[in-house]
């Protein structure tokens, strides 16, 4: 089985690439989805977050208010680091379990870990290939601030989110493959399709 990472700056098109890879037969594991699961009420990470940030970050029904937490951590790098220290080890441990199970279920398959902080967490070192989704800085801002098709952030919020991540230039030094998501969806799809063909050949190749 081939173990692959997929990452990119916020708003760069990582989720679009992941969806295309899933359509092409790759097994995609979403770190954000796992992160939401490990902080549900009753989970150890939930209790740690409440102790760290207080009950004011809870919704009326007792769940975590992600918007309130984001407002705190993206204004304070130390609090962001603390939040990541609570969540990331649990997410990475789940990735290990998912990939190990996939190894038995589909030995010639492609397991893709889709994670925004793949490189910052160091988990990329556990993988054989790392795909980086990129676009222009102007497109990142537009996608994050657009209220119709994007996330509806203010420009300041978007810039803070981008600044909190490793730069694309630094990520390029660690990536093995790159998908340029600055063009049309069809242009992105052509790149993803060609890459998956190569990855499938690698996955099917006998281990030396």
């Amino acid at each position: 089985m081939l173990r692959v990472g997929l990452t990119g700056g916020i708003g760069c098109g990582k989720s679009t690439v992941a969806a295309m890879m899933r359509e092409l037969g790759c097994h995609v594991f979403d770190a954000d989805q796992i992160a939401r699961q490990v902080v549900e009420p009753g989970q150890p990470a939930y209790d740690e977050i409440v102790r760290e940030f207080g009950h004011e970050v809870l919704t009326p029904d007792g769940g975590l208010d992600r918007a309130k937490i984001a407002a705190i951590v993206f204004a304070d790098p130390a609090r962001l680091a603390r939040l990541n220290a609570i969540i990331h080890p649990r997410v990475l441990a789940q990735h290990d379990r998912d990939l190990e199970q996939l190894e038995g279920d589909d030995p010639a398959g492609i397991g893709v870990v889709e994670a925004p902080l793949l490189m910052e967490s160091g988990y990329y070192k556990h993988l054989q290939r790392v795909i980086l989704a990129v676009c222009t800085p102007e497109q990142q801002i537009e996608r994050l601030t657009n209220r119709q098709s994007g996330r509806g952030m203010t420009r300041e919020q978007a810039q803070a989110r981008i600044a909190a991540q490793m730069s694309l230039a630094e990520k390029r030094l660690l990536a093995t493959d790159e998908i340029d998501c600055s063009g049309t969806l069809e242009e992105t799809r052509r790149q993803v399709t060609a890459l998956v063909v190569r990855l499938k050949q690698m996955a099917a190749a006998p281990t030396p």
Side-chain angles (χ1 to χ4, degrees):
M1 187 191 78
L2 191 68
R3 298 182 179 219
V4 177
L6 170 60
T7 192
I10 184 170
C12 280
K14 171 179 58 65
S15 297
T16 298
V17 173
M20 292 177 179
M21 295 187 75
R22 191 178 283 111
E23 290 173 3
L24 292 167
C26 300
H27 305 274
V28 181
F29 303 103
D30 184 347
D32 284 341
Q33 181 179 356
I34 296 172
R36 286 191 287 271
Q37 293 169 353
V38 303
V39 299
E40 290 178 351
Q43 297 295 323
Y46 171 91
D47 296 331
E48 284 192 51
I49 290 171
V50 174
R51 283 196 297 270
E52 175 70 24
F53 294 93
H55 287 82
E56 61 267 24
V57 299
L58 299 180
T59 61
D61 63 1
L64 295 177
D65 189 320
R66 293 166 63 87
K68 286 183 179 178
I69 294 174
I72 294 170
V73 301
F74 288 109
D76 186 340
R79 304 299 294 278
L80 177 59
R82 177 61 188 138
L83 179 66
N84 288 340
I86 294 171
I87 297 176
H88 282 175
R90 294 176 169 92
V91 173
L92 300 184
Q94 185 61 50
H95 284 320
D96 285 339
R97 290 190 289 270
D98 288 338
L99 291 172
E100 184 176 346
Q101 180 175 338
L102 181 60
E103 185 90 54
D105 295 342
D106 187 5
I110 300 170
V112 181
V113 174
E114 177 197 354
L117 301 181
L118 187 73
M119 294 167 178
E120 290 91 334
S121 68
Y123 195 74
Y124 73 96
K125 298 175 185 176
H126 297 249
L127 307 169
Q128 294 156 285
R129 310 289 298 183
V130 177
I131 303 165
L132 179 63
V134 302
C135 68
T136 69
E138 293 78 14
Q139 286 174 315
Q140 274 187 284
I141 295 293
E142 164 60 24
R143 292 171 181 178
L144 295 176
T145 57
N146 191 300
R147 295 192 177 278
Q148 281 71 46
S149 60
R151 306 195 191 188
M153 297 180 185
T154 66
R155 188 174 185 85
E156 292 71 24
Q157 288 172 329
Q159 290 171 332
R161 294 293 184 94
I162 293 170
Q165 295 184 342
M166 182 186 293
S167 72
L168 288 180
E170 293 174 292
K171 289 182 177 182
R172 277 191 167 105
L173 297 176
L174 302 174
T176 57
D177 304 279
E178 185 173 308
I179 299 293
D180 183 356
C181 300
S182 61
T184 66
L185 274 178
E186 190 52 45
E187 289 169 342
T188 298
R189 190 181 303 279
R190 282 198 293 270
Q191 295 174 69
V192 174
T193 301
L195 176 57
V196 170
V197 168
R198 288 196 289 112
L199 295 178
K200 286 183 177 180
Q201 292 170 345
M202 295 178 195
T207 304

